[in-house]
Amino acid sequence: MRVVTLPAPDDFDAWRDAARGLVADDVPAEDVVWQVGAESTDLFAATADPVPAPAPGAMSVPRAFLDLARNAILHSDPERFALLYALLARLRSQPKLLEDRADPLVRRLDGLAKNVRRDIHKMRAFLRFREMPEDDATRYVAWFEPDHHIVRANAAFFVNRFASMSWSILTPEVSLHWDGAALSEGPGAAKADAPDGDPVEEVWKTYYASIFNPARVKVGAMLKEMPRKYWKNMPETALVPGLLAAAQARESGMIEKARGAIGGNAQIAWEALREEAMGCTRCHLHRHATQTVFGEGPVTASLMFVGEQPGDQEDLAGHPFVGPAGQVFDRALAQAGIDRADAYVTNAVKHFKFEQRAKRRIHAKPDAGEIEACRWWIEQERMLLRPRVTVALGATAARSLFGKVMTISRERGRALRLPDGGSEAWITVHPSYLLRLPDKAQAEEEFERFVEDLRLANAAAA
Ligand code: URA
C-alpha cells in the first residue's frame, strides 16, 4: 500500500510527480491511496510503503492525456486522482487508449474534464464584481461558488481581463487578491464577506441590453441559461423589468443604440457571449459532446457562414469546420477568392450530435427542437456582427436562419431576405454533401456550383 498526500486538491504537479514515480515502479492502481493535505489521516500511513521519487522521463504520455488530466484533477470527485493514475498505468501498454472513447474509464474522465471546463467557463461568464471603498482607492470584490476546484486555474484569466483594477475574488475554498501588480492568495471566505449592492461592470449591462430581444423574452428560458445560483448576483437581471416594460416601444433601433453605447466593444460582447455558450445546457446535446463549438472570425466580418453542427473533429478541437467537410469548404473558399480569415464561420447547432457505434461516433442530424434551442446563440451572434450577407450551408442552417424548412434546390443562387428585418441571406449546399457524392464527375460539377454560390454571396457582401 502506498499513500500519496497532495498538498492541495488542485495540485496537478504534485499528482504528476507522485504518479510518475509510482508508474515507474509498477505500482498497481489499487495499491495507492490518494489524499489531500487537510483531509489526510494516518490511518494508512503507518503501514504504507514509501512513495517512489518522481522518475522524470521514465514514461512519455500523449499530450491529450496531460490536457485531460489537468482539467479532471480539478473536479470535486474524490476518486479523480486514482482514476487518472489508473488511466496513466494502462497507457503504458495501450498507448492509443485515449482514442477509445467507448472505454468506460476514458469516458468517465472525459466527463469529469468536461464538467470542469464548464465550471471554468461559468466562473468567467457569471462572476460579477461589486465596488468596495479601500483607503483612497476602490477595490472590486466578487463572490463566487464554483462546483469544482477551478479558482486557481482561472486566476490568469481574471488577471488578464482586469489587469488595471484592484480586485478580490472570494470563494469558499480560497480567495484571490490582485493589486494591479501581484496576485496573492488567502483563505476561503463566506458570502457575507463580499459587499452587497449593484455589480459594477457596466459593459455587462450594455452587452446584455445589446442582445436583449424583446420579441423573444422568456424569463424562464433566461433563468435556465444563467443558472439560478448565479442569477441573483448578476446586474442584467436588474435590467429585465425595465427592458420588458419598454419592449413595445423598442424596435431594432434599441439594438443599434446599445451597440453604439458599447462603443466598438462588440469584440468584448462577443467574447462574453462565447463564454456563456461554453456552459450552454439549452438542450440535451451538451451531455455527450466534448465542448461547445462556437463561431469564429472577426466581429466586423460582412460575410457569415452558417453550417449545421460540429462534427467529430470539430468537437474535439473546439473549432468549426476543421474536419473533412472543413477541408472541402476551405478549398471552395479559396477557389471563390474568399479569405476565410475575413469571414465569420459558425454552426446552427453548437454541440456535436452523434450515435456511438463501437469506437466510432457517427454524426446524427439535429432535430427541430435542437435547432430551435440553439437559435438563441445564432441570433445573438448575428445581432452582434450584423453581417451584410449570411450564407446558409445546407438545410439545417437554412431552417435555423429562416425558422422554417427551405428547399435548397429551389432557393439557391439568389439573394433572399431573412425574417429578422430583411437582412440578406443566400442558401447553398453543405460541403459534406459534396463529400458524399459517389460519382466523380458529378462531385466536380457540384463543387463548381458550390464555388459559384460562394462567389455570388461574397460579391453581395462586398
Ligand atoms: N459540418 C458542419 O456543419 N460544421 C462543422 O463545423 C463541421 C462539419
Side-chain angles (χ1 to χ4, degrees):
M1 171 74 62
R2 316 290 175 110
V3 178
V4 181
T5 304
L6 303 172
D10 57 351
D11 197 333
F12 174 75
D13 291 343
W15 175 88
R16 186 193 48 203
D17 286 351
R20 269 188 186 153
L22 292 163
V23 94
D25 240 21
D26 277 333
V27 179
E30 56 278 14
D31 284 357
V32 187
V33 173
W34 297 89
Q35 53 189 20
V36 176
E39 14 168 284
S40 68
T41 67
D42 288 335
L43 193 62
F44 304 105
T47 54
D49 297 320
V51 176
M59 175 183 177
S60 73
V61 292
R63 213 202 134 75
F65 174 78
L66 290 177
D67 291 344
L68 174 74
R70 279 185 202 282
N71 279 316
I73 208 115
L74 306 180
H75 203 279
S76 51
D77 185 336
E79 287 187 54
R80 64 196 182 281
F81 307 118
L83 294 171
L84 280 169
Y85 180 66
L87 183 61
L88 179 70
R90 283 179 59 199
L91 276 173
R92 287 190 106 180
S93 54
Q94 296 170 267
K96 295 218 176 289
L97 178 58
L98 282 179
E99 288 166 27
D100 182 359
R101 301 177 76 85
D103 181 275
L105 181 57
V106 173
R107 282 174 73 136
R108 174 136 181 227
L109 281 162
D110 267 347
L112 298 189
K114 194 164 114 186
N115 292 339
V116 165
R117 279 199 299 271
R118 186 161 291 137
D119 208 30
I120 286 175
H121 283 294
K122 276 185 185 158
M123 182 170 174
R124 294 176 184 183
F126 300 133
L127 179 139
R128 294 293 179 271
F129 286 109
R130 290 168 164 83
E131 228 168 333
M132 191 150 125
E134 186 187 66
D135 304 328
D136 13 314
T138 299
R139 174 164 288 270
Y140 296 89
V141 181
W143 165 251
F144 192 78
E145 288 172 80
D147 292 331
H148 304 291
H149 307 286
I150 54 151
V151 178
R152 287 189 192 94
N154 244 342
F157 172 87
F158 289 97
V159 167
N160 285 334
R161 182 165 282 188
F162 303 108
S164 58
M165 294 165 29
S166 291
W167 52 256
S168 296
I169 297 177
L170 310 183
T171 81
E173 193 170 272
V174 62
S175 305
L176 298 179
H177 307 285
W178 173 253
D179 63 5
L183 187 70
S184 58
E185 237 179 60
K191 185 170 183 347
D193 298 329
D196 272 342
D198 289 338
V200 284
E201 206 194 332
E202 280 306 317
V203 72
W204 281 93
K205 286 191 180 179
T206 319
Y207 158 66
Y208 188 71
S210 78
I211 62 167
F212 184 86
N213 181 347
R216 302 196 68 238
V217 172
K218 287 190 193 121
V219 173
M222 289 193 302
L223 281 167
K224 188 162 155 252
E225 185 52 39
M226 299 174 188
R228 229 165 246 284
K229 182 171 150 188
Y230 310 120
W231 184 239
K232 58 186 182 297
N233 286 327
M234 301 182 64
E236 47 273 46
T237 55
L239 292 179
V240 169
L243 288 173
L244 277 172
Q248 275 80 14
R250 286 160 185 253
E251 296 294 322
S252 56
M254 173 198 93
I255 292 161
E256 281 309 328
K257 249 193 266 156
R259 284 197 85 205
I262 287 178
N265 270 346
Q267 180 67 30
I268 294 177
W270 177 84
E271 281 169 20
L273 185 66
R274 183 178 181 280
E275 289 297 344
E276 285 195 38
M278 291 299 151
C280 180
T281 54
R282 297 180 72 81
C283 78
H284 66 110
L285 292 182
H286 72 94
R287 292 206 191 102
H288 304 290
T290 307
Q291 58 195 312
T292 304
V293 179
F294 205 62
E296 282 182 356
V299 291
T300 49
S302 57
L303 189 56
M304 175 188 269
F305 292 99
V306 183
E308 183 196 63
Q309 60 160 348
D312 181 72
Q313 294 194 29
E314 287 80 10
D315 170 78
L316 298 175
H319 304 289
F321 281 106
V322 292
Q327 282 160 25
V328 175
F329 182 46
D330 284 347
R331 199 153 54 83
L333 285 174
Q335 203 162 311
I338 302 169
D339 185 346
R340 178 161 167 175
D342 293 338
Y344 187 83
V345 179
T346 190
N347 281 301
V349 171
K350 307 279 192 260
H351 281 118
F352 179 35
K353 181 177 180 184
F354 61 93
E355 282 167 26
Q356 188 82 46
R357 285 202 213 133
K359 294 184 181 176
R360 296 191 57 211
R361 302 189 301 167
I362 310 293
H363 164 277
K365 220 172 169 41
D367 64 26
E370 291 146 3
I371 297 170
E372 188 53 33
C374 224
R375 271 179 83 189
W376 162 267
W377 296 115
I378 192 94
E379 283 180 8
Q380 311 309 323
E381 284 174 293
R382 288 185 28 71
M383 266 192 259
L384 275 174
L385 269 80
R386 305 201 148 256
R388 202 165 295 150
V389 169
T390 305
V391 182
L393 302 169
T396 299
R399 182 183 181 134
S400 168
L401 290 167
F402 287 86
K404 61 180 185 185
V405 175
M406 304 291 283
T407 310
I408 297 178
S409 54
R410 198 167 55 219
E411 310 290 357
R412 76 186 291 185
R414 65 195 172 96
L416 303 166
R417 297 280 148 210
L418 284 176
D420 65 358
S423 65
E424 185 170 327
W426 291 65
I427 296 181
T428 185
V429 293
H430 190 280
S432 64
Y433 158 75
L434 305 170
L435 282 171
R436 289 194 302 269
L437 292 171
D439 182 78
K440 198 159 175 273
Q442 195 200 354
E444 272 168 22
E445 201 177 299
E446 284 296 321
F447 181 79
E448 291 305 325
R449 278 189 80 193
F450 180 55
V451 170
E452 187 52 24
D453 285 347
L454 301 187
R455 229 181 244 133
L456 289 171
N458 188 39

